[in-house]
Amino acid sequence: MHYSGAVYRPPSEARSLIVQCTLGCSHNKCAFCTMYKDKKFSINPIEQVLSDLDEARAYGRYIEKIFLADGDALILPMDYLLTVLDYICDHFPTCKRVAAYATTKAIMRKTDDELRTLREHGLGIVYIGLESGNEELLKKFCKGVTAEEIVLNAIRCKQAGIATSVTAINGMAGANGWQAHAIDTAKAVSRMKPDYIAFLTLRVYSGTPLHDWIASGEFKMMEPPELMRETRLFLEHIDSDGSIFRSNHASNYLPLGGTLNRDREALIHTIDEALDGKVRLRRAVELGL
């Protein structure tokens, strides 16, 4: 199969067949991110994608999930997406779910009818990066869209029957202003009520504006106890009944998981136990920091 540059996928797509429909991310300007910096955004020829699917099928492996890479497959034209989705439906009878990353701008380019059509043809879930519900933070980190736009378009996907997995970033405000970040993000997620919520921890990579902000003293990273207090505040303010909450990514010091709103108090109790030193945190070395 053809792969160009580093290939990224959500943790939940670990066992999926990854098919590279696009190269890179159509936005690729977020101040914390180094993904896809090794390639310029472009669209792979549809013939190559179908050939890759044929090659994967020839291996005879049981394929239950397929992920359309790279960073923003939903930006593809409808005829391209429908050709790929229909090909998967016809040639991969064991496939139960097709997934893709989706930037808000890509969702905005699709009408409500087009989103419903994508669902009818097999698109099961999209991964959406909220990062923060705080407008000033989104502007500072060059997200390129507002929190309101992210919320409204995530809701459009859900209304079309496409499941949504939304990512927020613990520590994105740094040591100053974390309360507003936690509360605004909880409010935004509460409106979206996604099927899945992934709460990752901010990490620093050289070559990013965030790295430069830290070097200049403009931005101060949060320590593990501060990150936990921010997560606690987020959980106190969220109302997203039925959403599966996960904060167990490789970046998280304290792995958490549960279903909201049912498990909210248990999650908060675990945080309190960790703050009291009764629950062991992952060490920085375990997180690759």
Side-chain angles (χ1 to χ4, degrees):
M1 296 182 68
H2 298 87
Y3 291 105
S4 177
V7 178
Y8 300 91
R9 48 84 182 155
S12 57
E13 299 295 329
R15 298 185 180 275
S16 300
L17 169 65
I18 299 177
V19 182
Q20 204 171 31
C21 296
T22 68
L23 299 182
C25 171
S26 60
H27 179 62
N28 210 22
K29 296 176 183 176
C30 295
F32 55 82
C33 184
T34 57
M35 291 166 59
Y36 310 117
K37 297 302 183 185
D38 61 338
K39 62 187 90 172
K40 183 178 180 180
F41 180 79
S42 62
I43 296 174
N44 274 337
I46 186 72
E47 296 79 12
Q48 179 178 307
V49 174
L50 299 184
S51 175
D52 286 344
L53 286 168
D54 281 339
E55 183 177 345
R57 189 162 58 102
Y59 289 127
R61 184 168 65 89
Y62 180 83
I63 295 173
E64 190 172 277
K65 297 191 296 183
I66 295 177
F67 180 73
L68 306 181
D70 268 334
D72 189 14
L74 204 70
I75 205 167
L76 291 163
M78 281 294 292
D79 58 347
Y80 187 118
L81 284 168
L82 293 178
T83 297
V84 172
L85 291 170
D86 289 346
Y87 200 84
I88 291 171
C89 180
D90 292 340
H91 294 85
F92 292 84
T94 60
C95 182
K96 297 179 180 178
R97 189 180 81 182
V98 180
Y101 283 129
T103 64
T104 295
K105 286 184 177 179
I107 301 170
M108 292 168 69
R109 292 163 65 103
K110 300 289 189 284
T111 66
D112 291 344
D113 284 342
E114 287 174 333
L115 290 174
R116 282 192 292 269
T117 298
L118 290 173
R119 177 66 193 97
E120 291 165 1
H121 286 252
L123 181 63
I125 185 170
V126 290
Y127 295 87
I128 300 170
L130 169 65
E131 327 311 1
S132 176
N134 183 271
E135 300 289 6
E136 291 304 313
L137 274 178
L138 293 179
K139 188 180 298 183
K140 177 180 178 64
F141 278 85
C142 302
K143 184 68 180 174
V145 287
T146 65
E148 184 68 11
E149 289 171 330
I150 299 171
V151 168
L152 293 179
N153 284 282
I155 291 172
R156 290 181 62 228
C157 287
K158 283 207 68 175
Q159 290 174 338
I162 301 171
T164 56
S165 179
V166 172
T167 300
I169 300 180
N170 192 195
M172 189 166 167
N176 299 312
W178 61 269
Q179 294 94 338
H181 167 52
I183 294 171
D184 290 345
T185 303
K187 289 179 179 178
V189 174
S190 296
R191 290 176 61 197
M192 289 187 279
K193 290 183 169 49
D195 299 271
Y196 304 92
I197 303 165
F199 210 54
L200 314 184
T201 300
L202 184 69
R203 301 180 74 166
V204 187
Y205 299 98
S206 60
T208 62
L210 174 61
H211 183 273
D212 296 338
W213 299 340
I214 293 170
S216 68
E218 178 184 344
F219 190 97
K220 186 178 184 299
M221 293 288 287
M222 298 174 72
E223 297 296 327
E226 297 172 309
L227 291 166
M228 288 187 288
R229 291 187 186 98
E230 181 180 280
T231 303
R232 192 186 197 284
L233 187 61
F234 170 82
L235 289 169
E236 285 177 342
H237 285 82
I238 196 169
D239 177 12
S240 190
D241 198 39
S243 295
I244 295 174
F245 174 82
R246 293 288 184 267
S247 185
N248 57 0
H249 183 258
S251 65
N252 298 122
Y253 287 94
L254 177 65
L256 295 169
T259 300
L260 298 175
N261 295 325
R262 183 192 68 196
D263 299 329
R264 184 209 322 270
E265 294 308 316
L267 292 166
I268 290 174
H269 176 73
T270 299
I271 293 173
D272 290 341
E273 292 278 281
L275 287 169
D276 288 341
K278 298 176 183 177
V279 175
R280 177 185 175 275
L281 302 182
R282 291 170 173 168
R283 296 174 297 167
V285 66
E286 296 176 273
L287 304 178
L289 302 177

